């Protein structure tokens, strides 16, 4: 992007600027891509007020009309795909092909979500009364999104919130606000004013949203630590919450697995988006009979996967998204090294501009090391050897997280039995990351509260209302 364009927020269907702005960096070069408005309490109040004004008319529209507008969001995404993908690559760091995939996935999600047949009204008749059980919108939804998949995760919130008749105040991460601001701008003429407001800001804006008395529900995706802070401040007006938080997903490779056939799926299951993926494989438990072969196959894939700037030919993994995360990963690497662990690949961070981090495989570190206990959220994967399946299940479940998991084996039935015993909301057998709008995703333990996607996830944007009418005799 040669001449930085001016990015504005969208409030009440109009462009809004803030008295201050902040720079957004390209993680591949550390140069400024553009600046974004740094909204304070005043702009947030304006956005919430505009969403509140728009809420009654939006809720009163027939579901069919809202469906059509959610499909329109998909069309806008697709007709601006190249521009949005280029911007996403610049601010997020991911390779251009992955940025395109993300825009397409977001568009596809809108269409799938819009197609949901929602039980918005049920009637129960008896001799004495007629009972209508309605699902009504909550009002104003606040959505807070992280920096790993800024477009897809914004849509995961916007589509169900709007479909069910809520209006929205959407806040992207301060590290990746630009594509979301642009999308808000593109939708100004598509949605009625105030239905979708997009605000950007620094670290102070999220807490202002979770404490805002004019927001009825918060749908938050981010770390478990921030989730706890959000939950505490949401108590101010008993906000409804959906929290999609961190994970430390285990994958278990059983002794009868066809290692060569599954290694690529496991590699990309761990490293897609530079492992900055809540559902990435973050601990890989491999049976001792196949451990060495798996280690070799993954090391070979790591060596042949090019890490570099998102617009360079052949690059499959970009830089880590931001300096804070880059420093955290370097610290984790040093801690792992200081414990005497061996690296099968990687382990050396190159000097120079950009947050480039090598794909790093750690050879059977102790379960007590930080690289096993913590969520790295970056390309460091511990390979852990096991002898007995019971032992692998117990070790996999020994985590405060319960987001996802996978089991890989030649006997799919036996693998599925193991998968059922993993304490996680989303588990896969001999495949991974087959996400669909129709599949509910719930974080168990400290990986979240509530559900995203599926009918259950969509209905989290509604509240039950029961109307009982006495029959005339
Ligand atoms: P983060 O928690 O630092 O930030 C997430 C968002 O919250 C950002 O928009 C940030 O500005 C905002 N925020 C920060 N402090 C806040 C506060 N006190 N109150 C309200 N909002 C606040 O997370 P991150 O580093 O951007 O993202 C990485 C984390 O997100 C990882 O832990 C990852 O596992 C998790 N994640 C989870 C899912 C999921 O679906 N479960 C998906 C993607 C990422």
């Amino acid at each position: 992007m040669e001449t930085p364009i001016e990015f504005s927020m969208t409030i009440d269907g109009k462009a809004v600027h803030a008295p201050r702005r902040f720079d957004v960096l390209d993680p591949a070069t550390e140069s400024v891509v553009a600046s974004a408005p740094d909204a304070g309490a005043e702009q947030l109040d304006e956005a919430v007020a505009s969403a509140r004004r728009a809420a009654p008319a939006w809720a009163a529209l027939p579901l069919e009309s809202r469906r059509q507008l959610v499909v329109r969001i998909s069309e806008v995404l697709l007709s601006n795909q190249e521009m949005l993908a280029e911007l996403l690559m610049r601010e997020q760091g991911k390779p251009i092909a992955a940025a395109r995939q993300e825009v397409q996935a977001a568009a596809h999600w809108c269409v799938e979500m819009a197609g949901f047949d929602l039980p918005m009204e049920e009637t129960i008749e008896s001799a004495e009364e007629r009972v209508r059980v309605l699902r009504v919108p909550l009002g104003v939804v606040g959505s807070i999104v992280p920096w790993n998949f800024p477009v897809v995760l914004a849509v995961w919130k916007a589509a169900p919130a709007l479909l069910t008749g809520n209006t929205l105040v959407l806040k992207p991460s301060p590290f990746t606000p630009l594509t979301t601001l642009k999308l808000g701008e593109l939708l100004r003429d598509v949605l009625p004013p105030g239905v979708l407001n997009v605000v950007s800001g620094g670290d102070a804006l999220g807490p202002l949203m979770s404490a805002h008395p004019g927001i009825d529900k918060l749908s938050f995706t981010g770390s478990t630590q921030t989730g706890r802070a959000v939950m505490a401040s949401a108590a101010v007006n008993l906000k409804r919450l959906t929290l999609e938080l961190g994970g430390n997903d285990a994958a278990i490779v059983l002794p009868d697995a066809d290692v060569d056939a599954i290694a690529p799926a496991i590699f990309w299951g761990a490293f897609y988006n530079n492992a900055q993926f809540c559902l990435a494989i973050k601990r890989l438990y491999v049976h001792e009979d196949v451990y060495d072969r798996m280690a070799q196959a993954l090391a070979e894939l790591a060596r042949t996967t090019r890490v570099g700037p998102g617009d360079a030919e052949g690059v499959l993994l970009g830089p880590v998204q931001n300096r804070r995360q880059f420093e955290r990963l370097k610290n984790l690497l040093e801690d792992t090294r200081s414990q005497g662990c061996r690296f099968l690949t990687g382990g050396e961070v190159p000097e120079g501009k950009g947050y480039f981090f090598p794909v790093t495989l750690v050879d059977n570190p102790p379960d007590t090391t930080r690289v096993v206990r913590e969520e790295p959220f970056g390309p460091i994967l511990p390979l852990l050897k096991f002898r007995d399946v019971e032992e692998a299940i117990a070790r996999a479940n020994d985590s405060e997280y319960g987001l996802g998991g996978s089991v890989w084996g030649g006997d799919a039935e036996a693998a599925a039995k193991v998968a059922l015993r993993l304490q996680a909301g989303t588990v896969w057998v001999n495949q991974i990351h087959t996400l669909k709008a129709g599949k509910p995703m719930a974080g168990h333990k400290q990986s979240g509260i509530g559900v995203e996607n599926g009918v259950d996830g969509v209905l989290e944007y509604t509240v039950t209302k029961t109307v009982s009418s006495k029959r005339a005799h």
Side-chain angles (χ1 to χ4, degrees):
M1 210 131 305
E2 274 153 24
T3 345
I5 32 172
E6 187 79 339
F7 289 86
S8 54
M9 300 187 285
T10 297
I11 298 178
D12 205 19
K14 293 189 274 295
V16 173
H17 292 273
R20 288 176 306 153
R21 301 183 69 84
F22 62 95
D23 285 340
V24 179
L25 301 185
D26 178 338
T29 59
E30 300 178 57
S31 58
V32 176
V33 181
S35 71
D38 187 2
E42 204 177 312
Q43 280 90 32
L44 178 63
D45 285 347
E46 267 179 55
V48 173
S50 122
R52 199 153 277 295
R53 279 194 303 278
W58 182 248
L61 279 181
L63 180 61
E64 285 314 313
S65 309
R66 293 198 301 265
R67 265 191 223 284
Q68 282 167 18
L69 286 165
V70 171
V71 172
R72 283 285 293 127
I73 300 177
S74 158
E75 291 163 4
V76 168
L77 282 161
L78 290 180
S79 54
N80 293 279
Q81 181 186 303
E82 270 318 293
M83 181 263 288
L84 292 170
E86 165 88 5
L87 193 54
L88 181 60
M89 175 192 72
R90 288 273 165 244
E91 66 171 344
Q92 206 285 335
K94 61 185 67 190
I96 188 69
R100 280 192 198 108
Q101 268 173 15
E102 181 169 345
V103 176
Q104 286 162 8
H108 180 68
W109 212 266
C110 289
V111 173
E112 281 202 7
M113 273 285 162
F116 268 47
D117 198 12
L118 297 174
M120 297 296 275
E121 179 167 355
E122 250 183 286
T123 307
I124 308 160
E125 307 267 4
S126 73
E128 293 76 37
E129 60 178 1
R130 177 168 187 258
V131 182
R132 289 170 70 205
V133 182
L134 310 172
R135 304 294 305 220
V136 296
L138 286 154
V140 175
V141 171
S143 295
I144 300 183
V145 179
W147 43 259
N148 55 343
F149 292 102
V151 182
V152 154
L153 294 179
V155 161
W156 274 26
K157 297 175 185 321
L162 298 180
L163 183 70
T164 45
N166 301 276
T167 55
L168 200 66
V169 178
L170 173 64
K171 187 196 87 64
S173 162
F175 293 113
T176 52
L178 302 177
T179 320
T180 315
L181 289 170
K182 196 72 201 164
L183 183 60
E185 183 187 326
L186 294 168
L187 293 171
R188 277 176 205 158
D189 300 329
V190 173
L191 298 167
V195 166
L196 172 67
N197 303 277
V198 182
V199 292
S200 58
D203 288 345
L205 188 58
L208 285 175
M209 280 179 74
S210 42
H212 202 294
I215 294 178
D216 302 297
K217 176 194 169 82
L218 252 191
S219 178
F220 171 87
T221 300
S223 62
T224 295
Q225 195 188 359
T226 311
R228 286 192 197 104
V230 166
M231 193 167 176
S233 59
V236 64
N237 62 334
L238 296 180
K239 273 186 194 64
R240 272 57 180 171
L241 287 176
T242 302
L243 302 178
E244 290 290 348
L245 308 177
N248 198 6
D249 294 10
I252 298 179
V253 179
L254 298 171
D256 61 348
D258 180 346
V259 169
D260 296 324
I262 64 174
I266 294 212
F267 181 83
W268 289 109
F271 294 109
Y272 185 71
N273 208 42
N274 236 335
Q276 301 167 126
F277 188 177
C278 53
L279 286 161
I281 296 172
K282 291 170 186 150
R283 295 174 290 154
L284 180 61
Y285 294 93
V286 187
H287 190 270
E288 59 183 8
D289 288 356
V290 288
Y291 182 91
D292 289 344
R293 271 191 31 232
M294 178 57 83
Q296 234 175 25
L298 294 180
E300 185 53 25
L301 284 161
R303 273 192 287 272
T304 51
T305 299
R306 219 179 131 204
V307 180
D311 54 359
E313 192 64 30
V315 160
L316 293 175
L317 293 174
V320 167
Q321 203 283 319
N322 59 70
R323 176 157 291 280
R324 193 158 78 192
Q325 186 59 13
F326 188 50
E327 295 301 332
R328 239 197 99 233
L329 286 168
K330 286 199 281 190
N331 178 281
L332 190 59
L333 191 67
E334 281 324 304
D335 180 82
T336 309
R337 198 190 308 279
S338 73
Q339 304 289 315
C341 302
R342 199 170 82 90
F343 299 116
L344 295 163
T345 57
E348 297 300 328
V349 181
E351 296 286 328
K353 284 272 176 214
Y355 312 135
F356 294 103
F357 200 94
V359 174
T360 300
L361 297 168
V362 189
D363 187 14
N364 203 24
D367 283 356
T368 48
T369 44
R370 279 180 54 205
V371 75
V372 180
R373 305 299 312 165
E374 293 181 14
E375 175 190 36
F377 216 62
I380 311 182
L381 178 71
L383 271 65
L384 302 145
K385 204 181 279 188
F386 72 88
R387 180 165 293 176
D388 173 72
V389 179
E390 289 301 318
E391 164 214 333
I393 297 170
R395 287 166 73 191
N397 286 339
D398 179 20
S399 169
E400 64 182 17
Y401 295 111
L403 194 61
S406 56
V407 184
W408 307 76
D411 177 346
E413 288 299 312
K417 283 194 181 134
V418 175
L420 283 176
R421 293 180 57 199
L422 290 183
Q423 296 168 350
T426 299
V427 288
W428 285 282
V429 178
N430 290 332
Q431 60 168 354
I432 192 158
H433 299 160
T434 52
L435 298 167
K436 286 204 168 71
K439 294 187 189 180
M441 191 178 135
H444 291 194
K445 304 195 221 175
Q446 294 192 43
S447 285
I449 288 193
V451 185
E452 213 159 23
N453 304 323
V455 173
D456 288 356
V458 178
L459 291 181
E460 285 209 4
Y461 290 89
T462 65
V463 65
T464 302
K465 178 170 183 172
T466 307
V467 184
S468 304
S469 311
K470 188 174 165 45
R471 283 196 183 282
H473 287 293

